């Protein structure tokens, strides 16, 4: 009788190992050697049986397909009939003893060690392998799915608040057929479409919301921001065209001009009868706008101004509405009277006639194709001694009097300029809110896709929605939490701005500059992750992430380069700190040290720095203290470091240069704290239990994810020890897993019009 | 006589403070209060003098413009005539005493404390302010610039190595007028241009480099990679079209077919007479390609195969060359014989006639507009029972014999499939090298722009190149170092691949999968930073970052999603670890513990973990040990954690899910170590002193920047203490400052054709 596994049941004890060797891995030389030696050593089998087993590990003659299947059947049968074996040898034993006992307990005791050694040498993780052998159709990963634990409508109404009516009005409008996305790649076609859309918005009275009632508006700046934000679910070229026309152009008149300008221009700006732009940036002066070189020379004789571009790179660049549609622009230029420079002032300068001919002395080039926002007609304007009338100076902060003398309530050119800029801070509220809307759209697309896209699955089970994978959750859930956190923070910024007093202006400007950077960077990161999370689908333009990503790409640059804006924010924080502590003289140092010492006692004791209790890690005051500690420590160390650099003889400019990266940290820590506080405040205001609970989960994720991101700093400071930061990481992972179940309702609560979500979401048939 | 500063010199002592209050800040209520109280307290001035001073801090009547200038003049004069005063009071004293002594030493002693208190209360950093008052035309920041410390040509020749000839040939070609970039936004125009370019390359014999000599090639796979990499300085649609045609399509025939296929197809593939594609991915199966559903049913009667798409989402998607130009594609389909599934195999399937008509049974849709690579005609293919001849099965790894039976030297479907994929690993070498070239182009553009773009500057000095700012350096220099590190690493991968033995294949596949992810993610991050670093200029399509960024965006997804590939790499590492240590039995645990203990003695002792000595921080063995420690610890903790999860009863699939983020870390730590080692090896090979020194600087930046990025982990492990990680950060900053001087020559060494660098670089006139 031939030796076979059927004829010689005891040999089946090695079946699982053989199966494994041939299934998962190439049978390597090392594996062959191990098995060969193992077979040689076995004393319970004959030489012939050894040869038979060796024939099963012959590299040149692998088991046939049917034999291989047969092995698997035996393994399956054994696993179905018995409780889970502990290792492959136990499993083999079950097969060998299946019909009648082939091994006695004594036999087993004898042979077990060599089997264990062999398994170990092969690097086999027995239980994992056995688990993998079994058909798993009911894994935790598979079963996890969407649970609607709260009333989505209630959360939407919490997000929309008092602005629900205008938000819904805009949403209805952008869902109409007239607002079908433009798919032409011809930028001229696209620009005309965007102009057409803008006109429709103006017809519905949406352009003039922020203007005074007496000039056709609604005196409702909050409404203006809501419109801009809601439009941002749709086409972002439209948003920027809208922002250039009604925001930058109109608001420059309102903020820098006086009643005569309002009366003359505002109404036709609001209706889009008078398209215009905002010409501040020059080729050689972007971030450093104070350095613009365009001149506005006062002519005593006829009380006019001559606007002139003194050299090529003083031309106005990237000006929205300039390439095709604008008829006038607000030009920022150095006022020159009798050859004396009176600093940067603003002037209304006509550039095109009503029939769209470029006026004499004005040269306009097209900025051409851009990475995104191709529906906006950005242009480059050069002025060759263009004469404008006296009234065209926007004269709220400075005038030329009848004697031709310069007059201003603000003597310093510097301060006047920054006061002028300060009145334009609205742009730094509109942009981060628009950026947030784009991030919300992106995360909605990625989460809805991840919820239905299935890929891979447990052995023998069906494929699993990719949103059930931990890695996928950890890529997306923190950005979902950020979207909520930033929403509440930007609401706070908006309210602070609307209810501002003069004294608060500097703080609000710094806050807006910081939040603009924070939100636009978050959008950049969110959309990047969403694109990758949607794989190839995310790359197709029909699925929207293309436009969302490329259009918002410039949000980190325009309205102020983020890196520069963060310096502004940090400067303000450092200024506040210095006002409080001065130059670290004896008494202030004493009070500072006392303050730090208090922290040491309450937060930096060994119990606190090693506390991994979940309740503690979810404690709001733990979060707030940790955020505040980081903020205070970074700002105070910044002040000390700067002082030391200067004391050591470094030039102030050089010292500031060394400090740049530190300054970014100051701004970041400050903003994190403000967003955290606003999220906390929001939690206190919610009554509905379901909504509150899900927001608490999101809040915890936001707070702990930030701590996790900055854990190196906390560890360096000794504020936390490794055991605690590891517990934070684990909890972040756990929260992502939990929030995955809320993810779809949470993005549904953004209530984004379905036509804005791209084909992968709206195409029901694509569901797996 | 009226009280004025002229008439009453002693009052000039407060001039600096007044100037400061009106210049830099809005005079806030608090500042007013402080100054008002200060004036009231002064006993050395009369009531009238007090009133005079108070008139100078009147919020409703600020100093006139000319008065303000006058103050500044006095301050400037004092600073020019005397050594640097220590605080504003000293400065004021210099002004007050300018003509004749207004204060005696005794006076000063009396009044000094109240002045100091006032300055402190206002939060004035005296020395910084005084430094700011002075015209600084010679700051360190200003003076820093490009220094050519080495021979650029020598570095280029080091980078190009043995491939210089073919690299230069390709560079010459892409600099010819025929290769002028296509600017049309019409994707059909663009696709035809790319096809035209591809034909030119084929005419020059560049398409068939990798094919056997007897089939028109040069048997030079290394040359093929060099061509693809060099082309990547130019248009990336061309690179992908090239890769699809000559790589995926041609290499699938070479790798999966046999001699008869080579003879029939390879020559016409290499000349582009036979355009084709690679149809693996299906709508519902991308990452999990093993799950493709397309069937190839064997017909016994006439020995043909019927290729069929069984359901809508089993259609082949994203297939390059499919929408317009391809005539045949390699289709991956499940082979079915007598209703039995024999796993995934590959077949050549005609889809278009020579005159470009789509063949019967084949339906092709266009993938439409994409985020990038719009010069590539990606399409969706559906097969409706398309019959192909017997010979069209690519039969290297499996055949249907004459009896109609399936035969294969590799019995497991799984293993056979992965063996097939393994032969296609070349794609995972070409893509990271192409990604690297795009990163090199981006960093070249950003560094050259940063070197000439000036913005801001010291008070009174000219504006400074933005590359002189620390923040800007820290944004770009690490990516410059990465570009070199990845260059050397990918050269190593290429050489390993070319000289591979069968035994090494799994390791090389894992390495390629990991390096593809590492390089494409690095390119994503590099180009993002470059775009932002170039501001608005970076957003204009003419400056190339648009296309570079959007074209490479999909590199993180195609040829395998990075997140999935990193799991593959990690799985391989974990497998290697287990082979070494098995299931942590007594003896392996003992040797492992011993190994760890050795680390503890040499690297984790208090001296080492707190060592901030620069020589130590730049020590190669410190780097290598730190990288190795991270790699080993993460892989071994991964093995332990996985075992524990399974031992605790978690299903293997669930345990794998929990482990995903950890697995990513395993792959990342492994790759970091390989790149570090290769950079180190390279340093040993360089003889030229100048080149060696600059490479050492770059190497140090690469190594320390990675440690800085992972410092949280090192701190958690107690491998470094805060004092050391802070020293690392400082050294990274210092290295960025130093390498800024080498930055332009270092990117010049990439020797990228100038026409590939965009208008901001090539337009000489734009230089400031």
């Amino acid at each position: 009788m031939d030796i076979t596994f059927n004829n010689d049941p005891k040999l089946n004890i090695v079946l699982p190992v053989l199966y494994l060797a041939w299934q998962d891995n190439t049978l390597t030389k090392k594996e062959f050697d191990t098995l060969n030696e193992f077979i040689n050593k076995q004393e319970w089998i004959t030489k012939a049986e050894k040869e038979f087993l060796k024939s099963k590990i012959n590299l040149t003659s692998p088991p046939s397909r049917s034999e291989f299947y047969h092995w698997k059947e035996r393994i399956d049968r054994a696993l179905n009939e018995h409780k889970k074996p502990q290792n492959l040898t136990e499993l083999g034993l079950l097969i060998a003893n299946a019909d009648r006992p082939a091994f006695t307990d004594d036999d087993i005791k004898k042979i077990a060690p060599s089997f264990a050694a062999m398994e170990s040498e092969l690097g086999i993780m027995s239980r994992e392998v056995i688990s993998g052998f079994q058909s798993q159709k009911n894994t935790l990963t598979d079963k996890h799915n969407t649970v609607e634990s709260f009333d989505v409508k209630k959360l939407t109404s919490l997000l929309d608040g008092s602005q629900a009516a205008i938000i819904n009005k805009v949403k209805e409008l952008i869902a109409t057929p007239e607002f079908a996305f433009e798919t032409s790649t011809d930028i001229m076609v696209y620009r005309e479409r965007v102009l057409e859309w803008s006109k429709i918005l103006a017809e519905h009275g949406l352009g003039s919301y922020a203007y005074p009632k007496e000039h056709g508006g609604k005196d409702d700046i909050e409404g203006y921001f809501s419109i801009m934000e809601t439009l941002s679910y749709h086409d972002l070229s439209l948003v920027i065209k809208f922002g250039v026309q009604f925001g930058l152009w109109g608001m420059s008149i309102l903020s820098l001009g006086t009643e005569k300008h309002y009366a003359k221009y505002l109404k036709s700006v609001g209706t889009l009868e008078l398209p215009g732009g905002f010409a501040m940036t020059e080729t050689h002066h972007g971030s450093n706008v104070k350095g613009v070189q365009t001149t506005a020379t006062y002519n005593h004789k006829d009380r006019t101004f001559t606007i002139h571009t003194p050299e090529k790179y003083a031309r106005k660049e990237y000006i929205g509405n300039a390439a095709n549609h604008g008829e006038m622009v607000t030009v920022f230029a150095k006022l020159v009277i009798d050859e004396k420079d009176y600093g940067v002032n603003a002037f209304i300068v006509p550039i095109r006639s009503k029939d769209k001919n470029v006026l004499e002395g004005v040269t306009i080039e097209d900025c051409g194709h851009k990475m995104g926002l191709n529906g906006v007609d950005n242009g480059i304007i050069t002025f060759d001694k263009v004469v404008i009338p006296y009234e065209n100076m926007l004269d709220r902060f400075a005038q030329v009097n009848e004697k031709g003398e310069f007059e201003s309530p603000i003597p310093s050119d510097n301060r006047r300029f920054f006061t002028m800029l300060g009145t334009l801070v609205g742009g730094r509220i509109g942009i981060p809110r628009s950026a947030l809307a784009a991030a919300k759209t992106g995360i909605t697309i990625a989460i809805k896709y991840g919820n239905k896209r299935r890929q891979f699955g447990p052995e023998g089970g069906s494929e699993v929605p990719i949103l059930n994978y931990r890695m996928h959750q950890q890529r997306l859930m923190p950005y979902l939490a950020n979207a909520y956190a930033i929403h509440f923070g930007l609401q706070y910024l908006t309210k602070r701005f609307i209810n501002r007093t003069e004294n608060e202006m500097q703080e609000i400007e710094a806050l807006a500059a910081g939040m603009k950077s924070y939100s636009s960077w978050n959008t950049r990161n969110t959309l990047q992750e969403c694109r990758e999370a949607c794989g190839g689908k995310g790359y197709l333009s029909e699925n929207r992430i293309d436009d969302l990503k490329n259009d918002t790409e410039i949000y980190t640059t325009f309205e102020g380069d983020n890196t520069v804006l963060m310096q502004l924010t940090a400067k303000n924080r450092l200024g506040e700190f210095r006002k409080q502590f001065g130059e670290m003289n004896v008494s202030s140092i004493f009070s500072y040290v006392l303050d730090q010492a208090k922290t040491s006692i309450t937060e930096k004791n060994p119990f606190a720095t090693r506390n991994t209790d979940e309740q503690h890690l979810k404690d709001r005051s733990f979060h707030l203290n940790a955020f505040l500690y980081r903020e205070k420590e970074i700002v105070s160390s910044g002040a000390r470091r700067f002082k030391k650099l200067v004391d050591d003889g470094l030039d102030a400019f050089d010292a500031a240069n060394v400090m740049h990266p530190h300054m970014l940290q100051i701004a970041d820590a400050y903003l994190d704290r403000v967003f955290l506080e606003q999220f906390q405040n929001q939690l206190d205001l919610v009554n509905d239990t379901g909504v509150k609970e899900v927001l608490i989960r999101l809040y915890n994720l936001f707070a702990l994810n930030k701590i996790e991101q900055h854990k190196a700093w906390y560890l360096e400071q000794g504020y936390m020890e490794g055991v605690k930061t590891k517990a934070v990481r684990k909890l972040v992972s756990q929260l992502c897993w939990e929030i995955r179940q809320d993810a779809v309702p949470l993005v549904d609560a953004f209530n984004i019009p379905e036509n804005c979500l791209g084909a992968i979401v709206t195409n029901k048939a694509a569901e797996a």
Side-chain angles (χ1 to χ4, degrees), chain A:
Chain A
M1 200 167 70
D2 278 355
I3 297 174
T4 68
F5 286 115
N6 271 335
N7 296 341
D8 201 349
K10 71 173 178 297
L11 298 181
N12 283 291
I13 193 168
V14 297
L15 262 194
V17 171
L18 290 178
Y19 179 82
L20 190 69
W22 287 109
Q23 179 208 31
D24 276 350
N25 301 297
T26 312
L27 188 68
T28 63
K29 185 74 174 52
K30 191 198 169 222
E31 286 169 340
F32 170 79
D33 289 344
T34 305
L35 287 170
N36 198 51
E37 202 192 320
F38 167 77
I39 293 166
N40 281 336
K41 273 196 207 151
Q42 301 309 308
E43 292 171 1
W44 50 278
I45 42 178
T46 64
K47 192 158 178 248
E49 284 169 333
K50 284 182 187 177
E51 287 315 309
F52 167 76
L53 286 180
K54 284 184 190 177
S55 77
K56 297 300 164 192
I57 56 167
N58 185 337
L59 286 160
T60 59
S61 151
S64 74
R65 193 183 168 80
S66 66
E67 179 170 23
F68 193 65
Y69 276 149
H70 192 58
W71 294 354
K72 181 67 163 67
E73 271 169 29
R74 293 197 169 195
I75 290 169
D76 287 347
R77 206 185 318 140
L79 286 171
N80 284 333
E81 287 171 9
H82 301 273
K83 69 178 173 58
K84 239 178 183 178
Q86 292 300 307
N87 53 47
L88 289 194
T89 311
E90 273 187 40
L91 175 60
L93 209 55
L94 291 173
I95 302 170
N97 288 353
D99 298 327
R100 54 190 168 78
F103 293 94
T104 65
D105 285 358
D106 264 4
D107 294 338
I108 294 160
K109 268 184 203 153
K110 262 183 244 166
I111 64 176
S114 74
F115 272 80
M118 176 268 292
E119 283 193 32
S120 169
E121 199 151 347
L122 289 175
I124 295 170
M125 292 266 295
S126 294
R127 297 195 49 170
E128 178 195 341
V129 168
I130 289 165
S131 183
F133 281 164
Q134 294 179 297
S135 299
Q136 298 294 343
K137 294 176 190 173
N138 265 316
T139 62
L140 291 173
T141 303
D142 194 24
K143 279 186 294 188
H144 210 48
N145 63 16
T146 294
V147 172
E148 203 155 305
S149 70
F150 64 95
D151 183 337
V152 169
K153 284 210 173 69
K154 279 189 185 154
L155 183 50
T156 303
S157 104
L158 174 79
L159 292 173
D160 292 351
S162 67
Q163 301 292 298
I166 182 68
I167 289 172
N168 288 330
K169 183 175 171 181
V170 175
K171 282 181 182 171
E172 273 167 35
L173 212 49
I174 57 179
T176 58
E178 284 165 304
F179 280 82
F181 285 102
E182 177 58 62
T183 56
S184 172
T185 57
D186 182 330
I187 66 176
M188 291 307 166
V189 172
Y190 188 14
R191 289 174 180 180
E192 292 311 312
R193 170 79 58 212
V194 168
L195 181 66
E196 209 174 282
W197 285 335
S198 305
K199 284 180 180 162
I200 299 174
L201 298 177
E203 275 164 30
H204 282 82
L206 299 176
S208 55
Y209 248 68
Y211 306 157
K213 285 184 182 151
E214 59 270 37
H215 300 297
K218 290 202 160 54
D219 238 333
D220 180 2
I221 180 85
E222 188 172 8
Y224 169 79
F225 290 132
S226 299
I227 294 166
M228 195 163 161
E229 179 175 289
T230 311
L231 282 177
S232 303
Y233 295 130
H234 186 253
D235 184 290
L236 294 161
S237 284
L238 172 59
V239 174
I240 299 309
K241 186 88 170 178
F242 183 91
V244 166
Q245 170 68 19
F246 306 114
L248 291 174
W249 164 230
M251 295 303 284
S252 66
I253 299 171
L254 189 62
S255 303
L256 307 178
T258 46
E259 200 54 40
K260 62 178 177 291
H261 302 112
Y262 306 167
K264 188 165 178 188
Y265 299 111
L266 277 186
K267 197 161 178 190
S268 53
V269 173
T271 58
L272 197 38
E273 280 163 73
L274 181 60
F278 183 83
M280 177 141 70
T281 298
E282 296 177 358
T283 306
H284 272 178
H285 288 93
S287 290
N288 187 14
V289 278
K290 199 161 64 92
V292 295
Q293 292 172 284
T294 303
T295 50
T297 308
Y298 181 72
N299 308 305
H300 286 282
K301 212 171 60 184
D302 54 2
R303 303 200 77 200
T304 57
F305 297 97
T306 301
I307 307 294
H308 186 62
T309 306
E311 62 120 349
K312 188 174 173 189
Y313 297 107
R315 62 197 182 183
K316 297 294 180 183
E317 194 163 350
Y318 313 114
I319 311 306
N321 239 351
N324 297 127
H325 302 134
E327 294 172 14
M328 292 187 180
V329 287
T330 296
V331 171
F332 288 78
K334 293 194 296 184
L335 173 61
V336 177
I337 307 176
D338 299 330
E339 291 176 22
K340 196 160 175 195
D341 172 1
Y342 288 90
V344 179
N345 287 273
F347 304 84
I348 291 179
V349 184
I351 55 169
R352 265 195 195 83
S353 64
K354 266 285 153 216
D355 54 4
K356 303 291 177 191
N357 290 316
V358 175
L359 298 178
E360 214 186 306
V362 179
T363 309
I364 301 179
E365 290 165 79
D366 198 311
C367 287
H369 196 271
K370 306 183 296 287
M371 209 161 162
L373 297 180
N374 279 303
V376 182
D377 55 325
N378 294 90
I380 302 168
I381 314 176
T382 308
F383 298 102
D384 182 15
K385 299 189 179 132
V386 173
V387 177
I388 56 166
Y390 176 78
E391 313 80 68
N392 282 24
M393 177 168 177
L394 291 170
D395 57 354
R396 178 167 163 203
F397 295 107
Q399 307 85 36
V400 180
N401 69 16
E402 298 213 347
K403 287 184 273 176
E405 294 165 345
F406 182 81
E407 282 183 347
S408 169
I410 308 170
S412 153
D413 292 350
N414 214 2
R415 231 187 92 210
R416 186 180 341 103
F417 184 64
F418 287 111
T419 305
M420 287 168 67
L421 290 189
T423 63
L424 302 170
V425 67
R428 292 187 183 155
I429 297 173
I431 289 304
R433 290 185 56 171
S434 171
L436 173 63
K440 284 177 179 171
T441 309
I443 199 81
T444 301
I445 293 168
I447 282 175
K448 284 179 173 251
Y449 181 65
N451 188 52
K452 69 182 182 186
R453 168 76 173 178
R454 290 167 181 274
Q455 204 76 174
F456 297 108
E459 187 83 22
S462 58
E463 290 186 289
V464 167
I466 56 177
L467 201 55
N468 286 4
Y469 292 115
R470 298 268 184 169
M471 194 64 228
H472 210 75
Q473 291 160 10
Q474 288 177 38
R475 291 167 81 176
L476 297 177
M477 296 306 129
Y479 289 117
L480 180 59
N482 283 2
Y484 275 86
I486 293 173
H487 178 97
F488 298 131
L490 291 175
Q491 288 295 320
Y492 164 74
L493 171 65
T494 307
K495 298 232 157 23
R496 286 290 306 272
F497 176 70
I498 289 167
N499 305 313
R500 68 191 178 277
T501 64
E502 175 108 22
N503 270 345
E504 297 172 318
M505 264 317 279
Q506 281 197 315
E507 185 208 338
I508 292 170
E509 279 173 40
L511 186 65
M515 285 197 172
K516 181 269 187 185
S517 305
Y518 196 98
S519 174
S520 59
W521 269 332
N522 175 70
T523 295
R524 173 196 72 182
N525 297 344
T526 302
L527 292 172
Q528 182 65 47
E529 204 64 68
C530 291
R531 206 297 295 156
E532 293 181 43
C534 292
K537 287 288 175 199
Y539 201 59
L540 301 180
S541 300
E542 64 176 19
N543 293 324
R544 300 273 297 124
I545 294 176
D546 173 9
D547 283 342
L548 291 168
K549 193 164 175 307
N550 279 303
D551 290 344
T552 55
E553 172 66 41
I554 198 64
Y555 280 42
T556 58
T557 298
F558 70 12
E559 285 281 344
D561 175 87
N562 280 5
T563 308
V564 176
L565 290 186
M566 291 289 269
Q567 303 283 333
L568 282 188
T569 306
K571 233 170 161 171
N572 176 274
R573 302 319 298 164
L574 214 50
E576 291 299 317
F577 174 83
R578 282 174 183 165
K579 277 182 198 153
Q580 203 180 340
F581 292 110
E583 239 184 300
M584 304 302 263
N585 60 19
V586 177
S587 79
S588 67
I589 285 175
F590 182 73
S591 84
Y592 177 75
V593 169
L594 198 71
D595 202 46
Q596 294 292 90
K598 264 189 277 177
T599 298
S600 295
I601 292 161
T602 57
E603 297 168 40
K604 286 179 85 171
N605 68 66
F607 177 71
T609 59
R610 301 177 58 86
N611 191 347
T612 60
D613 187 61
E614 183 168 329
Q615 209 181 340
H616 165 70
L617 296 180
K618 287 182 170 173
D619 182 345
R620 287 191 217 175
S621 66
F622 157 59
H623 305 150
L624 187 58
N625 285 337
F627 278 52
L628 277 171
Y629 176 76
R630 179 167 157 253
E631 181 187 7
K632 284 184 175 179
E633 179 58 35
I634 291 181
V635 80
S636 69
S637 67
R640 277 174 284 155
R641 200 174 149 207
F642 202 5
K643 177 169 153 51
K644 185 169 183 323
L645 289 169
V646 174
D647 285 351
D648 287 353
L650 212 57
D651 180 86
F653 185 67
D654 290 328
N657 192 6
V658 173
M659 289 292 296
H660 278 176
H662 196 131
M663 294 293 270
L664 228 80
Q665 292 309 311
I666 289 176
D668 190 57
Y670 160 65
L671 292 162
D672 276 346
R673 190 262 302 164
V674 174
F675 280 109
L676 184 93
E677 270 181 351
Q678 292 312 312
F679 209 149
Q680 290 193 346
N681 290 347
Q682 199 58 46
L683 296 180
D684 293 332
L685 297 174
V686 184
N687 291 316
D688 183 81
T689 316
V691 169
K692 189 167 194 143
E693 281 175 2
V694 74
L695 285 182
I696 288 174
R697 279 193 289 279
L698 274 179
Y699 159 79
N700 278 321
L701 178 56
F702 172 75
L704 291 168
N705 183 52
K706 286 287 170 197
I707 289 174
E708 155 89 352
Q709 280 173 8
H710 297 290
K711 67 180 174 181
W713 188 88
Y714 286 112
L715 287 159
E716 276 180 349
Q717 294 295 317
Y719 192 86
M720 297 185 201
E721 290 191 36
V723 37
K724 187 165 182 173
T725 57
K726 286 178 190 172
V728 167
R729 181 174 55 213
K730 204 172 157 190
L731 193 48
V732 164
S733 165
Q734 185 54 31
L735 283 163
C736 288
W737 174 259
E738 288 170 15
I739 291 170
R740 178 268 174 270
Q741 297 203 301
D742 304 308
V744 173
L746 278 169
V747 297
D748 281 339
F750 295 145
N751 195 25
I752 299 172
E754 208 180 53
N755 64 315
C756 299
L757 297 178
I760 38 172
V761 173
T762 54
N763 181 0
K764 298 285 181 202
E767 279 178 40

